[in-house]
Amino acid sequence: MSKIDQKHSNSKLPLRVGVTGGIGSGKTTVCRIFESLGVPIYYADDRAKAIMTENETVVKKVKELFGTQAYLANGTLNRPFIAGIVFHDKKMLESLNAIVHPAVFEEGERWNEEQTGAPYTIKEAALLFESGGYKKLDKVITVFAPQELRIERVMKRDGVSEEAVLARIKNQMADEEKIKLADFVIYNDGKHSLVQQIWQIHQEISSLADTKK
Ligand code: ATP
């Protein structure tokens, strides 16, 4: 049985494709183009942020881990407080991830089951390789852009310093590793056409999904 068949005992489910890449590589930009082709997208990082205030079980566990200071009086997450802790304490980051990742995964699975008409869906997440989440997907696309360009784009987008972007890059897996693990690479380096690359991958994955049915 092929890798895809093994993961898809229920053939009505869409194939599950991941889009990942380092900070500022262009994941969201790439996903917007897939979205324009009609591909349903689950923005896992955005949902993780939302789940941390919406999901009562998650909120309870986060408070147990960090104390009630983890949330502001209006119920929103006290991001600077949490970031201040997890940035310097790897164990606390792992504990936070152990609360949030399974909740996001479960929600993503339920969401995928609802996309019955689509040949494939995309899950966009920055740390698909680092978290091991890629193993549960059928195909993974990594978006590559040179570091200088990523730094420039994120500084402009978020109004942050070069040091702040570099600090986040340092916490992520190296691009070469991501490229080795990926099934497809999209080069968002200003030299290759994004639309052309995405169209080609879209055709390939759509026909894979067809042969599965
Ligand atoms: P993050 O990891 O921070 O969520 P990301 O990988 O999703 O980032 P985007 O938000 O898609 O990256 O892109 C980063 C910034 O670079 C955005 O402001 C986006 O508009 C810009 N950008 C991305 N690709 C291109 C491109 N090909 N040409 C011009 N600007 C681009």
Side-chain angles (χ1 to χ4, degrees):
M1 212 189 280
S2 77
K3 192 176 156 199
I4 288 175
D5 290 338
Q6 279 169 12
K7 288 182 183 170
H8 282 269
S9 45
N10 182 349
S11 64
K12 282 191 191 120
L13 287 184
L15 286 183
R16 288 131 93 229
V17 176
V19 167
T20 193
I23 175 171
S25 56
K27 297 177 289 298
T28 306
T29 306
V30 161
C31 285
R32 298 276 182 236
I33 300 174
F34 275 106
E35 215 168 352
S36 74
L37 297 172
V39 181
I41 318 278
Y42 183 78
Y43 292 95
D45 297 336
D46 292 347
R47 287 305 307 152
K49 284 182 194 146
I51 278 172
M52 285 177 79
T53 55
E54 286 170 6
N55 182 314
E56 279 175 28
T57 315
V58 169
V59 170
K60 189 167 167 270
K61 287 183 183 167
V62 171
K63 280 184 185 164
E64 279 165 11
L65 183 64
F66 293 97
T68 47
Q69 260 183 292
Y71 290 87
L72 301 173
N74 64 5
T76 58
L77 195 68
N78 188 347
R79 278 187 196 288
F81 172 74
I82 291 186
I85 296 173
V86 299
F87 200 79
H88 302 286
D89 189 335
K90 215 172 158 211
K91 280 234 162 73
M92 286 297 267
L93 176 62
E94 281 166 8
S95 303
L96 177 63
N97 285 340
I99 296 170
V100 179
H101 283 173
V104 178
F105 178 73
E106 274 170 34
E107 187 190 80
E109 287 299 285
R110 283 198 300 276
W111 171 86
N112 192 60
E113 284 165 16
E114 287 161 12
Q115 314 304 316
T116 45
Y120 72 98
T121 65
I122 285 180
K123 178 179 196 172
E124 188 233 51
L127 303 178
L128 267 185
F129 290 128
E130 289 88 340
S131 69
Y134 75 101
K135 291 178 190 153
K136 299 192 171 111
L137 298 166
D138 298 302
K139 294 284 169 194
V140 181
I141 301 167
T142 193
V143 184
F144 170 82
Q147 188 163 307
E148 317 78 69
L149 201 51
R150 289 161 60 196
I151 293 171
E152 195 184 297
R153 285 171 177 167
V154 176
M155 284 173 71
K156 199 168 150 201
R157 185 193 62 188
D158 300 344
V160 292
S161 68
E162 180 174 359
E163 290 70 36
V165 188
L166 276 169
R168 287 174 65 184
I169 288 176
K170 256 177 61 186
N171 276 333
Q172 300 183 335
M173 185 186 277
D175 283 332
E176 305 79 65
E177 292 302 309
K178 288 184 185 147
I179 289 172
K180 269 190 223 157
L181 289 168
D183 299 291
F184 300 97
V185 182
I186 293 178
Y187 293 91
N188 185 21
D189 53 5
K191 294 181 191 150
H192 298 78
S193 157
L194 272 187
V195 173
Q196 218 166 356
Q197 295 176 82
I198 290 168
W199 179 246
Q200 208 159 351
I201 293 171
H202 175 67
Q203 303 284 359
E204 211 169 308
I205 298 177
S206 299
S207 66
L208 267 180
D210 272 353
T211 56
K212 176 181 78 78
K213 288 194 173 131

